[in-house]
Amino acid sequence: MSPAPVPEEKRSRDPVQRGSDHRVAVIGAGAIARDHATAIAAVPGIRLTHVVDRHPERAAALAALAEGATWSTDPATAWSDGIDVTAVCTSPESHTELSVSALEAGRAVLLEKPAALNVADADRILAAAKTAGRPLLVAQTARFQPAHLEIARAVAEGAIGTPRLAHLTWYTGHVWPGGWRGWQLDPSRSGGHVAHNGVHALDLLTWLMDDEPVRVFARPCRTWASGMPTPDSFQILVRFAGGALATIELCYALVARGTFVRRLMLSGTAGTLHHSSEDEPRAHSASPVAPASIEGAMTEQTRHLRDVLDGVAAPLTAPHHIRAALAAALAAQLSADEGRPVDVKEVC
C-alpha cells in the first residue's frame, strides 16, 4: 500500500523553496468545483487562477472567489500557458477528452471521480499521463478523511498484518426527488449511482487492502426515496485477488440532509482496526453536523496535490489503484443492473 500522507503538523511548512504558487485552472463551476476552490484557498503554495464553464455566469461567480482569477467558456484555456494544473470537475462523460488534452499540453491533472465511464477511457487517460510524464491524481477524497488516514498509517506499519476482511458502512442523508442534479440521474453521464458513488468505497478498500477486486455482487434498493429514478442505497460484496473479502453498505436516504454515520472495520492476520463516527460527540448534536473523522479531506487532498507538484510526494492514487477501483465500480453497477455476481474482468 502506498504510504499515507504525512500530517501537516509533522511536515515542514515549506518543504521546498518555491519561486511562485502552483496555478490551478478548474473546468466546471458546480458544487464540487466550489469545494475545490475553497480548499485551494486554504493551502499555501497553490492558488486558483482560472475557471472554465459553459455558463458564463457560473464561471464568473466561481472565479470571483479567488483574487485575480479569470474565467472563460473555452476548455482549452484551462491548459494554456500560465496554468500548472488542470482540475477537471465536469460530469464524467467529458473526463477523458478534457484530461487527455490537458496532459498532452503538459499540465498536471486533478480529476474528479469516477475517472471515466469505462476502463478503455481510463486507460487512455493513464497512458496520456505516462507519456507526458505529468502527475495525475483522481479526487478520491475518502482516502484523505482523518480516520482513514490514521487507519492507513497503522496498516502500513503492520498493525494488523495482512488485511483479510473489511466491513465499511456509510449512511448519509439524503437523496430525494429534486435533490440530485439531472446528470447524476443519467447513467450515460454518471455511470449509474452504484458506480458513481460506490467508487469512493471501492477505491478506499483497494488502497487499504493493497489488493485488486476480482468479483463483486451488488444489491440496490429504494428506501425513503422511492420516487427517485435510481436506488438510494446499495450493498456490494467484494472478493479480492488474494482471497480477502469486503462488505460495503452505502445509504443516501437518511431523513435529515447532512446526517452522517460512518463505520469501518479492517481485520488482518495479526489484528483488527475499527472506527465509528457514533463514538464521536459531534455526531450526536441536535442539528446534523459532519463527524470530525471526515472533515478536512478536500483540504488535505489539496495539500497532497501541492506536495506532488513540489516533487516531495508521489500521487497517492497510483495508476493501478485508479484502474482497479474504477473497474470494480463498473462491475458493481453491472451486477446491480443485472442482479448477478460479476467478475471484474467482464468490464475490462
Side-chain angles (χ1 to χ4, degrees), residues 5-14 146 149-150 153 296 299-300 303 306-307:
V6 177
E8 182 77 1
E9 65 271 15
K10 294 183 179 180
R11 69 167 84 102
S12 168
R13 293 287 176 175
D14 283 299
L149 288 173
E150 182 178 352
R153 291 187 189 102
T299 301
E300 184 60 38
R303 290 193 188 103
R306 178 202 63 193
D307 291 348

Side-chain angles (χ1 to χ4, degrees), residues 3-4 30 33 35 60-61 82 99 113 127 146 152 183 189 235 246-247 258 265 271 300 310 314 319:
D35 289 344
S99 299
K113 61 81 191 170
W183 71 263
R189 300 185 65 194
Q235 298 174 324
T247 300
M265 185 281 296
E300 184 60 38
D310 282 347

Side-chain angles (χ1 to χ4, degrees), residues 78-161:
W79 50 80
S80 59
D81 291 343
I83 300 298
D84 301 308
V85 186
T86 301
V88 179
C89 300
T90 56
S91 50
E93 82 280 3
S94 60
H95 284 183
T96 303
E97 297 306 323
L98 293 172
S99 299
V100 169
S101 294
L103 289 162
E104 289 179 343
R107 306 298 172 251
V109 168
L110 174 63
L111 176 59
E112 261 302 324
K113 61 81 191 170
L117 293 180
N118 56 68
V119 175
D121 280 347
D123 286 341
R124 281 187 60 200
I125 297 170
L126 293 170
K130 183 176 181 179
T131 299
R134 300 299 297 146
L136 167 67
L137 290 82
V138 175
Q140 298 288 0
T141 50
R143 295 193 185 202
F144 294 93
Q145 292 169 1
H148 298 155
L149 288 173
E150 182 178 352
I151 288 173
R153 291 187 189 102
V155 172
E157 291 167 0
I160 64 170

Side-chain angles (χ1 to χ4, degrees), residues 3-338:
V6 177
E8 182 77 1
E9 65 271 15
K10 294 183 179 180
R11 69 167 84 102
S12 168
R13 293 287 176 175
D14 283 299
V16 298
Q17 294 296 319
R18 300 187 186 90
S20 60
D21 292 342
H22 301 292
R23 298 155 297 185
V24 181
V26 171
I27 308 180
I32 197 66
R34 186 170 289 261
D35 289 344
H36 281 287
T38 300
I40 290 169
V43 175
I46 190 167
R47 63 188 175 95
L48 176 62
T49 59
H50 189 63
V51 177
V52 177
D53 195 276
R54 61 183 177 178
H55 302 289
E57 66 282 3
R58 286 167 36 122
L62 184 58
L65 299 180
E67 183 178 358
T70 58
W71 62 270
S72 167
T73 58
D74 178 8
T77 60
W79 50 80
S80 59
D81 291 343
I83 300 298
D84 301 308
V85 186
T86 301
V88 179
C89 300
T90 56
S91 50
E93 82 280 3
S94 60
H95 284 183
T96 303
E97 297 306 323
L98 293 172
S99 299
V100 169
S101 294
L103 289 162
E104 289 179 343
R107 306 298 172 251
V109 168
L110 174 63
L111 176 59
E112 261 302 324
K113 61 81 191 170
L117 293 180
N118 56 68
V119 175
D121 280 347
D123 286 341
R124 281 187 60 200
I125 297 170
L126 293 170
K130 183 176 181 179
T131 299
R134 300 299 297 146
L136 167 67
L137 290 82
V138 175
Q140 298 288 0
T141 50
R143 295 193 185 202
F144 294 93
Q145 292 169 1
H148 298 155
L149 288 173
E150 182 178 352
I151 288 173
R153 291 187 189 102
V155 172
E157 291 167 0
I160 64 170
T162 301
R164 300 297 296 167
L165 292 171
H167 193 154
L168 183 150
T169 300
W170 291 345
Y171 295 120
T172 302
H174 64 274
V175 175
W176 299 104
W180 274 20
R181 293 173 296 282
W183 71 263
Q184 293 173 316
L185 301 176
D186 181 354
S188 69
R189 300 185 65 194
S190 69
H193 185 197
V194 177
H196 182 255
N197 285 305
V199 72
H200 267 312
L202 286 159
D203 173 80
L204 178 65
L205 293 182
T206 295
W207 179 49
L208 292 176
M209 305 287 264
D210 195 21
D211 203 353
E212 181 178 348
V214 293
R215 188 172 174 84
V216 298
F217 179 45
R219 299 182 296 181
C221 62
R222 288 172 169 81
T223 55
W224 298 103
S226 57
M228 289 286 283
T230 186
D232 53 54
S233 305
F234 53 89
Q235 298 174 324
I236 308 173
L237 303 179
V238 188
R239 180 178 292 277
F240 290 83
L245 302 173
T247 300
I248 297 171
E249 299 174 297
L250 269 67
C251 171
Y252 291 80
L254 299 187
V255 174
R257 184 181 298 279
T259 302
F260 295 89
V261 178
R262 301 275 182 128
R263 307 185 191 111
L264 173 61
M265 185 281 296
L266 192 63
S267 183
T269 54
T272 299
L273 295 164
H274 58 87
H275 169 267
S276 174
S277 64
E278 296 169 296
D279 297 331
E280 301 175 35
R282 294 187 62 188
H284 303 284
S285 59
S287 58
V289 177
S293 56
I294 72 173
E295 282 192 341
M298 187 76 81
T299 301
E300 184 60 38
Q301 177 180 264
T302 303
R303 290 193 188 103
H304 176 64
L305 171 62
R306 178 202 63 193
D307 291 348
V308 170
L309 297 170
D310 282 347
V312 297
L316 200 59
T317 49
H320 66 286
H321 288 157
I322 295 171
R323 192 180 196 275
L326 177 64
L330 295 171
Q333 184 67 57
L334 180 61
S335 175
D337 292 342
E338 298 189 355

